[in-house]
Amino acid sequence: MERASDYTLADVLRRNATVHGEGIAFRGQDGAVTHQAHWRRVQHLATGLQRLGIAQGDRVAILSKNRIEYVELLGAAAQLGAIMSAINWRLSAAEVLAVLENDTPKAVLVEDEFWPLLDLALARTGPDLEPITVGIRREGFQCLDDLYIDDGPPPSTPLSADAPLLLIHTAWTDGRPKAATLSHANLISNAIQLQGAWKLGADDVHLCCLPLFHSTSISLTLAVQLAGGACVLTRQYEPQEAASLVELHRATVLGEFAPMLDGLLSACDDAPSRLRSLRHVCGLDSPETIRRFEAACPDATFWAGYGQTEVSGLATLGRFRDAPGAAGFPLALCAIGIEGDDGRLVPDGEAGEIVVRGPSACLGYWQRPEDNARLLRGGWLHTGDSGRIDANGRLWYTGRLAAKELIKTGGENVYPSEVEAVIRQHAGIAEVAVIGVPDAQWGESIKAICVPARTPPPAQEEVADFVASRIARYKRPRFVVFADSLPKRPDGSADREQIRKLHG
């Protein structure tokens, strides 16, 4: 039931159209749109999607690089009460098929360069899925341009702020897609926290270099949008282009993962003043790169934080320079706790699982009730990460729980079990264990320790390419080594702790 307190993303866009009407909302490869024009285009697209049969609760997927139509689809879904599924375009065709079968969208918007990723899905799903081309026309298929319809009042759907709006896919723990379900309230509350922490206003400009299928990218975009500012959408990150866009549009906000910032600084070695408009940069990077950035841009701040898709982005934030290595303080609407093995919160200073509570905690995983029972037990969202809180209230991230076993490489999450399952399909491999190893450029790299099934063993490159041919290339092991055997626990499972000691 709709309540007087319900406030949705459509309400944000409607307000911006009035309060910040002639200000620039988005810049893309085809030009710029104002807040007023953005709201108008969102309503037109909502009308077109409704006539296509999209109704409240239906999913609409998108497979596209950053472009203005991407954020317009999110707004149109908000207007209709529909749910947008943001698909990682780095996935393989088989993985895209799995995502579509998991999310069951009625339509999928696809840029031309990603059309081959639909091959398996079109053969499998048949008429239940409506492919819509983006940016180019294909004979026999609907084009997104034709769905912007202005010949009547736009649709209006009474909606709860707790209604689901966005599916963002996290790492696959069991070979199946796992989509964090984010509501209007989740996304808006996260944006409000960032807007307040950084004192964002209508003059702020977000250079959106991270792909919009990432929660960090969506989070920063909505924070600046909520403030009435502008977002410059880049198709892909290229340091020289990014430096030029910062300088041209006086960008103030940037989200990044290593090695993006290092590349940006190197592109401006001869003229660091090109980056002087930047005020807030957040992400994951090395202390050396962060200090180099703050030396080049003395009026800017690099913000360290802790977050994940399941909390709609960031849950903590703090100036890196104040406590290098810390993840900052809880954001204004986030409660952070540390839970022990017995399910109780532990005192400050003790390590345990990081748990989060507040309006930005997700609704759960799409169609995964058993996982949700574990994720949201006891009134807290369980992150699967370990940490401690010091006497000042700062969070210190200390690692991942053994059950999580996550590798984070260049901002992407990879579960070892998924890569191991693929490598086991190779005829030349008898056993395998996959671990993450430190990488100065990417944060972590994937390393596969393999027991060969034959002599001589397959070439290292052959094993790595075997993985890349079946799942997303970012899950390809950077290192492949061979061993006579793998350390085992008493139950016969791989002893990852010993494997890390030997091969990490």
Side-chain angles (χ1 to χ4, degrees):
M1 179 182 295
E2 188 180 15
R3 303 162 297 182
S5 58
D6 283 326
Y7 189 73
T8 69
L9 182 64
D11 293 314
V12 172
L13 305 187
R14 185 184 297 108
R15 174 190 177 274
N16 278 6
T18 301
V19 177
H20 306 289
E22 296 306 314
I24 297 298
F26 295 99
R27 296 184 186 275
Q29 61 176 355
D30 296 324
V33 295
T34 65
H35 287 282
Q36 189 176 76
H38 175 62
W39 173 233
R40 185 167 56 247
R41 285 178 58 82
V42 162
Q43 292 178 91
H44 294 170
L45 180 55
T47 298
L49 290 173
Q50 187 184 55
R51 295 188 183 180
L52 196 66
I54 306 300
Q56 185 171 344
D58 289 337
R59 275 77 63 205
V60 181
I62 183 166
L63 193 55
S64 166
K65 290 185 177 178
N66 295 354
R67 57 190 302 144
I68 290 175
E69 292 91 338
Y70 204 118
V71 288
E72 288 172 348
L73 176 62
L74 182 63
Q79 177 79 348
L80 289 172
I83 305 167
M84 186 176 92
S85 167
I87 302 180
N88 185 336
W89 39 260
R90 293 172 178 158
L91 298 178
S92 67
E95 290 170 312
V96 169
L97 169 63
V99 169
L100 294 173
E101 289 182 335
N102 181 77
D103 298 356
T104 59
K106 281 192 172 181
V108 55
L109 281 59
V110 188
E111 278 193 324
D112 196 58
E113 68 176 289
F114 302 126
W115 199 263
L117 294 180
L118 273 192
D119 287 346
L120 293 177
L122 292 179
R124 184 79 61 86
T125 57
D128 294 335
L129 181 68
E130 176 85 25
I132 299 172
T133 64
V134 179
I136 195 169
R137 294 183 181 274
R138 279 179 174 265
E139 187 176 354
F141 293 96
Q142 185 91 243
C143 179
L144 180 63
D145 292 346
D146 298 330
L147 295 182
Y148 288 83
I149 297 174
D150 178 24
D151 63 354
S156 180
T157 303
L159 202 62
S160 166
D162 295 324
L165 173 60
L166 179 64
L167 302 180
I168 296 188
H169 302 85
T170 65
W172 302 16
T173 54
D174 54 6
R176 294 190 298 129
K178 181 182 281 187
T181 307
L182 305 179
S183 69
H184 295 255
N186 291 157
L187 296 171
I188 293 171
S189 62
N190 188 266
I192 288 171
Q193 293 178 104
L194 287 181
Q195 182 190 4
W198 291 342
K199 298 179 174 59
L200 300 176
D203 293 333
D204 279 294
V205 178
H206 170 216
L207 181 61
C208 184
C209 294
L210 296 172
L212 285 166
F213 58 71
H214 270 303
S215 59
T216 300
S217 185
I218 287 284
S219 177
L220 268 61
T221 295
L222 292 182
V224 174
Q225 188 178 16
L226 188 75
C231 181
V232 179
L233 299 166
T234 64
R235 298 276 297 158
Q236 59 189 32
Y237 178 74
E238 195 286 313
Q240 286 291 350
E241 180 191 33
S244 297
L245 291 172
V246 169
E247 185 176 25
L248 175 63
H249 299 299
R250 309 296 298 163
T252 60
V253 175
L254 176 69
E256 64 91 32
F257 294 111
M260 293 169 62
L261 186 58
D262 182 69
L264 184 64
L265 291 168
S266 296
C268 298
D269 271 341
D270 57 339
S273 61
R274 297 173 66 194
L275 304 178
R276 291 288 169 85
S277 64
L278 287 172
R279 295 198 301 127
H280 306 291
V281 175
C282 71
L284 297 172
D285 224 309
S286 68
E288 296 76 18
T289 298
I290 295 169
R291 294 188 181 104
R292 181 183 168 202
F293 164 69
E294 293 194 330
C297 302
D299 295 328
T301 299
F302 189 97
W303 296 87
Y306 172 79
Q308 53 181 210
T309 302
E310 290 85 345
V311 296
S312 310
L314 290 167
T316 69
L317 202 61
R319 286 185 291 266
F320 171 85
R321 67 171 77 102
D322 292 345
F329 300 97
L331 288 170
L333 302 177
C334 279
I336 304 291
I338 304 297
E339 190 176 281
D341 292 338
D342 60 0
R344 298 180 181 180
L345 297 183
V346 302
D348 289 350
E350 292 188 19
E353 182 174 8
I354 301 169
V355 292
V356 181
R357 183 162 48 82
S360 60
C362 74
L363 302 177
Y365 299 119
W366 184 255
Q367 304 292 4
R368 281 186 174 243
E370 292 183 2
D371 287 337
N372 293 339
R374 291 191 295 269
L375 177 72
L376 302 173
R377 66 187 184 274
W380 292 89
L381 184 144
H382 290 71
T383 66
D385 293 324
S386 63
R388 61 181 175 84
I389 296 174
D390 66 21
N392 296 315
R394 282 192 180 92
L395 176 69
W396 295 77
Y397 170 82
T398 58
R400 301 179 185 112
L401 298 181
K404 191 171 183 182
E405 290 292 347
L406 184 69
I407 300 170
K408 198 170 187 72
T409 176
E412 298 285 3
N413 294 335
V414 179
Y415 273 99
S417 57
E418 184 185 4
V419 182
E420 290 166 352
V422 174
I423 294 177
R424 289 191 191 101
Q425 298 172 24
H426 193 292
I429 303 299
E431 293 183 82
V432 61
V434 169
I435 61 174
V437 293
D439 188 299
Q441 184 177 24
W442 302 105
E444 282 186 297
S445 282
I446 300 169
K447 185 174 186 178
I449 301 91
C450 303
V451 177
R454 65 183 185 221
T455 302
Q460 296 170 337
E461 195 76 8
E462 178 186 334
V463 175
D465 289 343
F466 183 82
V467 174
S469 70
R470 284 160 173 77
I471 55 177
R473 287 195 63 83
Y474 66 80
K475 301 173 185 177
R476 178 185 189 271
R478 186 173 181 186
F479 306 103
V480 176
V481 298
F482 294 99
D484 293 334
S485 62
L486 296 175
K488 297 288 198 310
R489 293 192 179 97
D491 64 1
S493 63
D495 189 333
R496 292 188 181 277
E497 185 175 346
Q498 288 300 316
I499 291 170
R500 286 195 191 92
K501 287 180 180 179
L502 292 171
H503 300 282

